[in-house]
């Protein structure tokens, strides 16, 4: 029964949630933290590539999640971000599903600060869908663009457009991947506290509002939490961080489908060129 339920969700993802189904459920806060100059990381740029501009140091990370405690709904994400003098570059790879039914995506991203108060970013995405014995394989290429504005030293807003061209799967040009638009705002209340909200509209889906909060109660420890309204999904995490390493233990709860645990590992390397850049109000 669990096997067929997993197939149903993945088949549903082929026509409805080609992008969002492969995003973390237990670590949805990563997208909201794109609207921060202090908490954004390489995973935040998966949601808004302009968040790459805030990357002060090269980093690499991995994230794993078991959606609703089903092995067939496992999600794996890997990311590498490179901090350079000509802007920052990112590579993201994701895999969702199991051998017979899965989705994968490879993304190449670029972001940089073009003014004291403006960050820009863009990504190219290669998507592949494998549904052995049902639809076969399909693939496509699309893109996304993002902007972030720093209205004051601690206030940030931004917008992002994913797949605005409505790319179609290669085997069926009539079946197009939904476009996804988002806008959000965040406040770095202090070095220890951040709160933010993101409004997401995916084609043919109701509006989703995601709100999240981050609090560092000790220099090495933090907690994060929030809610996504579209699915009544609550998520939280506890983390441990050092200057060159971070680990998040996260989890989310859906009222009908249950728990989704996750773990994130992040390592930083190279020179820290700008721990936090000062922005004039």
């Amino acid at each position: 029964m669990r096997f067929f339920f997993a197939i149903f969700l993945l088949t549903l993802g082929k026509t409805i949630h080609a992008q969002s189904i492969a995003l973390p459920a237990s670590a949805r806060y990563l997208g909201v933290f794109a609207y921060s100059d202090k908490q954004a990381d390489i995973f935040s740029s998966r949601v808004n590539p302009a968040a790459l501009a805030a990357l002060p140091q090269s980093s690499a990370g991995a994230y794993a999640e078991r959606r609703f405690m089903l092995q067939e709904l496992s999600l794996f994400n890997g990311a590498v971000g490179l901090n350079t003098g000509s802007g920052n570059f990112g590579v993201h790879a994701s895999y969702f599903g199991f051998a017979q039914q899965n989705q994968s995506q490879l993304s190449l991203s670029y972001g940089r600060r073009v003014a004291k108060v403006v960050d820009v970013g863009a990504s190219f995405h290669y998507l592949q869908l494998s549904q052995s014995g049902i639809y076969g394989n399909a693939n496509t290429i699309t893109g996304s663009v993002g902007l972030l504005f720093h209205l004051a030293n601690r206030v940030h807003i931004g917008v992002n457009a994913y797949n605005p061209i409505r790319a179609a799967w290669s085997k069926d040009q009539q079946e197009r991947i939904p476009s996804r638009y988002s806008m959000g705002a965040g406040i770095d209340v202090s070095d220890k506290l951040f709160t933010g909200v993101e409004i997401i509209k995916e084609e043919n889906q109701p509006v989703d509002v995601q709100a999240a909060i981050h609090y560092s109660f000790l220099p090495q420890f933090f907690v994060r939490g929030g809610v996504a309204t579209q699915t009544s999904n609550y998520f939280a995490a506890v983390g441990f961080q050092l200057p060159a390493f971070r680990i998040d233990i996260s989890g989310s709860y859906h009222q009908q489908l249950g728990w989704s645990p996750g773990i994130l590992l992040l390592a930083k390397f190279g020179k820290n060129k700008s721990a936090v850049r000062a922005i004039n109000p």
Side-chain angles (χ1 to χ4, degrees):
M1 182 66 182
R2 289 159 61 97
F3 178 84
F4 290 107
F5 175 66
I7 290 179
F8 168 75
L9 288 182
L10 278 165
T11 303
L12 187 66
K14 179 177 186 291
T15 57
I16 298 179
H17 299 290
Q19 156 70 357
S20 59
I21 197 172
L23 293 175
S26 68
R28 290 197 177 191
Y29 54 82
L30 294 171
V32 179
F33 291 158
Y35 307 100
S36 169
D37 236 18
K38 301 179 183 297
Q39 306 305 331
D41 56 42
I42 183 58
F43 290 101
S44 305
S45 63
R46 168 73 186 273
V47 176
N48 189 328
L52 270 174
L55 197 69
Q57 190 174 2
S58 297
S59 61
Y63 174 79
E65 174 183 287
R66 181 161 292 187
R67 190 80 50 88
F68 312 130
M69 298 298 292
L70 294 173
Q71 183 177 358
E72 294 83 2
L73 297 182
S74 296
L75 171 66
F76 303 96
N77 281 345
V80 176
L82 298 177
N83 186 296
T84 76
S86 301
N88 298 332
F89 297 84
V91 179
H92 295 261
S94 66
Y95 176 92
F96 177 70
F98 59 109
Q100 288 73 38
Q101 304 280 316
N102 60 77
Q103 297 180 18
S104 58
Q105 178 172 312
L106 178 65
S107 303
L108 302 176
S109 304
Y110 175 77
R112 69 176 299 164
R113 182 155 292 180
V114 296
K116 290 184 177 181
V117 296
V118 182
D119 297 342
V120 299
S123 296
F124 293 97
H125 311 286
Y126 173 78
L127 290 79
Q128 180 170 294
L129 178 70
S130 176
Q131 294 186 312
S132 303
I134 301 178
Y135 294 102
N137 298 328
N139 55 74
T140 191
I141 296 176
T142 187
S144 59
V145 293
L147 289 170
L148 287 171
F149 302 93
H150 310 282
L151 303 183
N153 191 38
R154 298 183 181 273
V155 180
H156 320 278
I157 65 172
V159 294
N160 182 70
Y162 176 87
N163 187 38
I165 63 174
R166 300 186 69 244
W169 291 111
S170 59
K171 290 192 67 175
D172 183 357
Q173 295 297 317
Q174 300 303 314
E175 188 168 9
R176 296 190 174 274
I177 298 172
S179 300
R180 188 172 187 263
Y181 300 93
S182 61
M183 63 180 299
I187 303 176
D188 289 307
V189 180
S190 69
D191 290 344
K192 297 181 178 180
L193 179 63
F194 166 82
T195 183
V197 62
E198 185 178 35
I199 302 172
I200 303 165
K201 180 63 177 77
E202 186 170 304
E203 189 177 356
N204 301 320
Q205 294 297 308
V207 173
D208 186 19
V209 179
Q210 296 184 165
I213 189 170
H214 165 100
Y215 178 65
S216 297
F217 57 92
L218 289 173
Q220 293 82 24
F221 294 94
F222 61 83
V223 291
R224 294 173 164 180
V227 61
T229 63
Q230 183 186 20
T231 56
S232 300
N233 186 44
Y234 300 91
F235 47 88
V238 60
F240 172 76
Q241 61 184 354
L242 295 172
F245 178 79
R246 190 183 105 206
I247 180 171
D248 294 17
I249 305 296
S250 60
S252 70
Y253 180 73
H254 188 281
Q255 294 180 357
Q256 285 74 41
L257 301 176
W259 291 97
S260 298
I263 183 170
L264 181 149
L265 302 174
L266 182 68
K268 302 176 183 178
F269 55 92
K271 184 178 180 180
N272 190 330
K273 297 182 179 180
S274 55
V276 177
R277 290 163 299 185
I279 305 171
N280 295 325

